[in-house]
């Protein structure tokens, strides 16, 4: 699935690629035959990330890390640790079609600041097992890694990783009161339903198929998709202090969603940026320094 049809974002470009036009045609034909057929194909596409080719800088990003694995119900989750002697543990949670290595700049910066840093590959991402993943399944993997680590001082999460960690949500430090001292969110979606709607609009899915997807979420998880949204969950999280970065020029998740999160979450430290888009915000030197300072 292309990044433009990912569950983290699905903006409609001005000129659609031929692959998207073909998908639109496919779903029109499937929906004409059967809503169930169209739903099955749409749900598979929505939950299947691409395994992107390794970028040249990725091996160096992980070169100083110790790799380990955590068992979940459907295989192994790969995780990486920097500066194991650090006094406080920071867990990094990546977004859709990313992997732990995408945190290279953040991990090095926080390790140099004295933190023990751990990042995982989500199920169906990087070196972890699986071919498909949902938001709750990602949250279960983060929960398994957090439980393995013991006391977690802070989480830094990007995009879908933030939705999984803070929207489901993951429970940290359950044997010590259940509070997470620090949470940093980067370019996260405010509304789970809006994510699904962007996906549906991009593929021109009929309303019946969209309604079937929403019903499936309720059937599988006993709650509506919108209940996973940060505008609903953020202000209720047991977090000491929380910070949100979002770029005005984010083409994947509208800046307005960050504003909605901030408006719904008293005490959230909201720091808008400009010119970083959806991904550069993870490695911008000014953002890295602000994150490190916030965690100190």
């Amino acid at each position: 699935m292309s990044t433009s049809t990912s569950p983290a974002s699905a903006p409609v470009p001005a000129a659609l690629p031929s692959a998207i036009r073909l998908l639109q045609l496919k779903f029109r034909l499937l929906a004409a035959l059967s809503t169930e057929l169209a739903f099955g194909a749409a749900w598979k596409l929505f939950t299947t990330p691409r395994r992107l080719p390794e970028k040249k800088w990725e091996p160096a990003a992980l070169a100083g890390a110790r790799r380990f694995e955590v068992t979940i119900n459907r295989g192994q989750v790969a995780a990486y640790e920097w500066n194991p002697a650090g006094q406080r543990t920071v867990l990094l949670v990546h977004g859709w079609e990313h992997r732990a290595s995408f945190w290279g700049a953040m991990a090095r910066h926080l390790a140099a600041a004295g933190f023990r840093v751990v990042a995982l590959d989500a199920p169906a991402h990087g070196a972890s097992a699986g071919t498909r993943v949902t938001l709750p399944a990602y949250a279960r993997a983060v929960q398994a890694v957090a439980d393995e680590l013991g006391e977690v001082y802070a989480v830094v999460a990007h995009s879908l990783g933030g939705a999984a960690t803070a929207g489901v949500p993951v429970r940290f430090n359950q044997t010590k009161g259940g509070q997470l001292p620090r949470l940093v969110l980067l370019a996260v979606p405010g509304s789970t339903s809006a994510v699904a709607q962007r996906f549906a609009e991009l593929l021109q899915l009929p309303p019946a198929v969209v309604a079937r997807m929403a019903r499936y979420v309720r059937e599988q998880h006993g709650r509506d998709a919108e209940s996973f949204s940060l505008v609903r969950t953020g202000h209720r999280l047991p977090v000491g202090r929380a910070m949100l970065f979002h770029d005005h020029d984010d083409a994947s998740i509208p800046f307005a969603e960050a504003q909605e999160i901030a408006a719904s979450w008293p005490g959230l430290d909201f720091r808008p940026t400009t010119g970083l888009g959806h991904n550069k915000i993870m490695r911008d030197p000014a953002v890295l320094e602000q994150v490190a300072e916030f965690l100190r």
Side-chain angles (χ1 to χ4, degrees):
M1 177 168 58
S2 71
T3 53
S4 61
T5 59
S6 78
S9 56
V12 179
L16 289 174
S18 58
I20 298 298
R21 292 198 297 271
L22 286 173
L23 281 172
Q24 291 174 342
L25 175 61
K26 171 186 173 178
F27 283 108
R28 282 199 298 273
L29 294 173
L30 285 174
L33 291 171
S34 164
T35 295
E36 282 298 311
L37 281 175
F39 155 71
W43 188 253
K44 181 177 181 180
L45 184 62
F46 191 61
T47 58
T48 304
R50 297 173 302 171
R51 299 273 188 168
L52 297 175
E54 185 177 74
K55 300 179 185 295
K56 292 181 180 179
W57 46 263
E58 287 187 77
L62 298 178
R66 176 186 73 89
R67 176 175 164 176
F68 63 99
E69 294 186 336
V70 177
T71 301
I72 58 174
N73 60 341
R74 294 188 177 181
Q76 302 288 318
V77 167
Y80 305 82
E81 179 187 45
W82 292 261
N83 189 29
Q87 294 296 305
R88 292 179 291 185
T89 299
V90 179
L91 178 60
L92 308 179
V93 187
H94 67 75
W96 183 256
E97 294 186 338
H98 284 195
R99 42 194 171 242
S101 53
F102 281 53
W103 284 116
M106 181 73 74
R108 289 191 297 269
H109 194 84
L110 295 182
F115 295 98
R116 175 196 183 203
V117 182
V118 175
L120 71 149
D121 289 335
H125 289 73
S128 292
T131 57
R132 298 173 64 180
V133 65
T134 62
L135 193 67
Y138 193 178
R140 289 193 294 271
V142 177
Q143 186 73 66
V145 173
D147 292 345
E148 180 81 9
L149 295 177
E151 187 172 355
V152 176
Y153 172 72
V155 171
V156 181
H158 177 249
S159 195
L160 183 72
T165 303
V168 173
V170 177
R171 304 295 182 185
F172 296 94
N173 306 322
Q174 296 178 80
T175 63
K176 295 189 176 182
Q179 186 176 71
L180 179 70
R182 299 287 185 273
L183 173 65
V184 178
L185 300 170
L186 307 172
V188 294
S191 167
T192 307
S193 297
V195 169
Q197 189 59 42
R198 287 193 290 272
F199 173 81
E201 289 174 356
L202 179 64
L203 298 182
Q204 297 181 352
L205 298 178
V209 176
V210 178
R212 181 66 183 91
M213 292 176 69
R215 190 168 81 249
Y216 182 77
V217 172
R218 289 194 299 272
E219 292 168 351
Q220 293 296 306
H221 306 296
R223 52 192 283 197
D224 291 336
E226 189 61 17
S227 71
F228 296 104
S229 298
L230 283 170
V231 293
R232 298 282 189 89
T233 63
H235 68 280
R236 298 198 301 265
L237 294 173
V239 172
R241 292 175 59 198
M243 173 184 282
L244 170 65
F245 290 90
H246 204 108
D247 198 78
H248 285 280
D249 303 320
D250 192 321
S252 296
I253 299 174
F255 182 76
E257 290 196 30
Q259 293 176 304
E260 291 172 1
I261 295 172
S264 70
W265 192 337
L268 177 68
D269 187 346
F270 180 34
R271 302 194 182 186
T273 63
T274 302
L276 300 179
H278 190 64
N279 292 326
K280 288 182 181 179
I281 202 167
M282 300 173 66
R283 55 185 181 272
D284 175 71
V287 171
L288 297 183
E289 186 50 41
Q290 289 178 72
V291 171
E293 184 60 34
F294 180 72
L295 299 184
R296 288 191 180 103

